[in-house]
Every structure is written in C-alpha cells, then in structure tokens.
Amino acid sequence: MDMGLTGKRAVVCASSKGLGLGCARALAAEGVDLVMNARGQDALDAAADTIRAEFGVDVTVVAADITTEEGQQAVLKAAGAPDILVTNAGGPPPGMWSDWDRDDFIKALDSNMLTPIALMKAVLPGMMERGWGRVVNITSQSVKAPIPALGLSNAARTGLTGYVAGTARQVAGKGVTINNLLPGIHATDRAVQLDTGVTKAQGITMQEAREQRYATIPAGRYGSAEEFGAACAFLCSVHAGFIVGQNLLLDGGSTNSTI
Ligand code: NAP
C-alpha cells in the first residue's frame, strides 16, 4: 500500500532507539525526511546514518533533552514546517503511590504531558494553515489499564490523553489528525530494564523473567519496534485521515477488555 507520504517532513522525538526509532525508520521507508532527536549524540548519529544509507531520505539530528524548553526550541527550529510530529520521551521511574512528591509529579508532567502539548501547540497552527498534518503521541498501555508501580506515568499520560481527546476534534476540520499509540511491552531497552528488575527481585534468570512475562500476553511474546513503527506510519498516512483522537493499543492482547 502506498502511504502517500513521499517527500513529507517529520519530527520524531526521542528516536535514537526503541519505539521512536521504529517510527522514524517506518516513516523513512515511506520516503519521509526526518528530524530525529535524543539526548545522546552518538546513538543518534548512528541511527541517522543507518537511515540515510538505507532509505536515502534527508535526516537532521538534534541532540537535546526534549523535555526542556531549549530542547523543544532546538527541535522546532530544525523542523521548520513539519507535516508530521511524533512525540516521545523516556517514561517516569517506578515507585509507590506514597513515595511521590510535588517535584516528582511536575517532572513526570513535564516529560509525558506538557512536552507533547507544547510541541503540538507549536506545529498545529502551521499544519492547519497548510490543510494537512499528522500527530502521533507515544503514550502507554497504562492509560487504559493502570500499572500500579507506574503511577507517575499513569497520571501524566492520562492527562495528555484528555488534552488530545478535545484538541483532536478542534483541528480535524483542517485536515490534521492527532492520535495516540499505546505500547504494551515491546522488546526495547525499556523491557530489558524492567526484566532486569525482575531477575534481581526474584533471583531468576533473564530468560525466566521473560517467559514469566510472555505468559501474561495472549500473543505470547513482546512487540517489536518494527511493528510499532508500521502502525505509526499508517496513522500518518493519507489513508488515516478519518481516524481522529483515537488510542490504539499495541499490547499483544494483554489488556483484557472488550472495547
Ligand atoms: P527506549 O528503548 O529506552 O528508548 C528511549 C529513546 O528515547 C532513546 O532514543 C533515548 O535516547 C530517548 N530519550 C529518552 N528520554 C529523552 C529525552 N528526555 N529527550 C530526548 N530523547 C530522550 O524506550 P522505548 O521502549 O522506546 O519507550 C519509549 C516510550 O514508550 C517511553 O516513554 C516508555 O516509557 C514508553 N513505553 C514503552 C514500553 C515498552 O515496552 N518498550 C511500554 C509502554 C510504554 P537518549 O537516552 O540518548 O536521550
């Protein structure tokens, strides 16, 4: 299927690794020029070099913390007038509901709610004026099914989801769609980090920790960044213009709900 994206320009935040990289690669495969971002320069350069060589698209890199005002400005300056925005950043740390104070919440809100909102506010007027745009926010399965140890994430991402629900309906008439992708567990560094925690807590091997988690997923495995990226590319495609304000779970069936 031709996604109709050749020659479009996308900003993909937090994209040197994992799910952000999966989105960047899938868009590049459709002929989309990219602005890629992450804090670490080396991994970002390596990812961009591979994408340029593999897909022949133009890639600009901005090494910056996207959760800071300066980072956002640097990325937006490099982006110019993007057609596509994919928001992403690292997730907040786990803990107990009673552990977190105001500063912890402000940090989580900055990363996983206020940063994507600031980026959307910056690019939406131009997209609406040009009559076409796509925004995809990487959130989490925890928006639909809270993960108790990730209360900071549950709170911040649900706030973003509420903002998107209203905003998506205000911009849709101008040819701009906003949707969220909700990852369940995917085989990225984040999964290695989570499973390492389990090996330490339970005194089991990495393989045992993985198999224990696979058993909770009807698909019996973790998702891949490639699958995730393909879903992102579809939501950005010309075929997805009637998909507005949706929350698409990519979780191998692990969220047990009818709708
Ligand atoms: P990952 O493999 O650890 O990759 C994170 C990427 O984001 C890296 O490129 C990292 O590069 C970049 N990054 C992190 N913080 C950043 C910041 N402040 N500014 C700019 N770049 C930043 O993580 P992932 O698995 O792709 O997860 C992506 C998001 O999905 C996270 O919010 C995560 O919580 C959420 N999620 C993931 C899963 C999963 O199973 N993988 C499930 C549910 C939700 P630098 O470190 O160099 O900045």
Side-chain angles (χ1 to χ4, degrees):
M1 184 192 286
D2 178 3
M3 299 283 176
L5 293 176
T6 308
K8 300 272 190 211
R9 187 167 174 78
V11 177
V12 187
C13 304
S15 57
S16 64
K17 297 179 189 168
L19 304 180
L21 178 57
C23 295
R25 288 181 56 80
L27 290 169
E30 298 302 322
V32 175
D33 294 323
L34 301 173
V35 173
M36 292 175 67
N37 152 260
R39 291 164 303 181
Q41 184 86 55
D42 291 350
L44 186 59
D45 284 340
D49 284 347
T50 308
I51 288 178
R52 285 186 199 104
E54 222 172 307
F55 305 111
V57 295
D58 184 63
V59 184
T60 304
V61 296
V62 180
D65 184 339
I66 196 65
T67 68
T68 64
E69 170 76 26
E70 310 80 67
Q72 290 159 24
Q73 288 311 319
V75 167
L76 289 167
K77 191 171 170 210
D83 305 293
I84 295 167
L85 167 68
V86 180
T87 75
N88 186 27
M96 258 304 264
W97 61 271
S98 50
D99 292 343
W100 303 309
D101 58 24
R102 180 180 164 79
D103 286 347
D104 297 315
F105 279 102
I106 296 297
K107 204 164 170 223
L109 292 174
D110 267 340
S111 294
N112 300 111
M113 178 181 168
L114 298 176
T115 292
I117 289 175
L119 293 169
M120 280 188 269
K121 283 179 70 182
V123 303
L124 286 172
M127 290 178 175
M128 292 165 76
E129 210 175 293
R130 294 187 297 278
W132 198 93
R134 298 282 185 265
V135 178
V136 174
N137 301 295
I138 300 180
T139 66
S140 173
Q141 174 188 20
S142 70
V143 169
K144 292 220 182 195
I147 301 167
L150 293 179
L152 292 172
S153 171
N154 300 337
R157 296 186 199 276
T158 305
L160 173 64
T161 306
Y163 175 84
V164 165
T167 305
R169 288 161 172 92
Q170 290 175 298
V171 302
K174 300 286 184 187
V176 180
T177 70
I178 314 177
N179 292 288
N180 303 320
L181 285 177
L182 282 55
I185 193 89
H186 281 68
T188 67
D189 287 357
R190 175 84 169 165
V192 173
Q193 191 190 7
L194 292 172
D195 288 338
T196 303
V198 173
T199 64
K200 287 180 185 152
Q202 298 183 19
I204 58 177
T205 66
M206 197 65 166
Q207 192 52 31
E208 285 166 336
R210 285 196 180 121
E211 273 162 19
Q212 195 168 288
R213 210 187 288 274
Y214 291 164
T216 68
I217 306 169
R221 63 174 178 87
Y222 293 171
S224 73
E226 290 74 20
E227 290 169 308
F228 193 86
C232 177
F234 180 74
L235 283 181
C236 293
S237 77
V238 294
H239 309 293
F242 209 52
I243 303 177
V244 170
Q246 296 304 299
N247 291 283
L248 179 63
L249 262 176
L250 292 96
D251 70 345
S254 60
T255 304
N256 193 31
S257 64
T258 304
I259 295 177

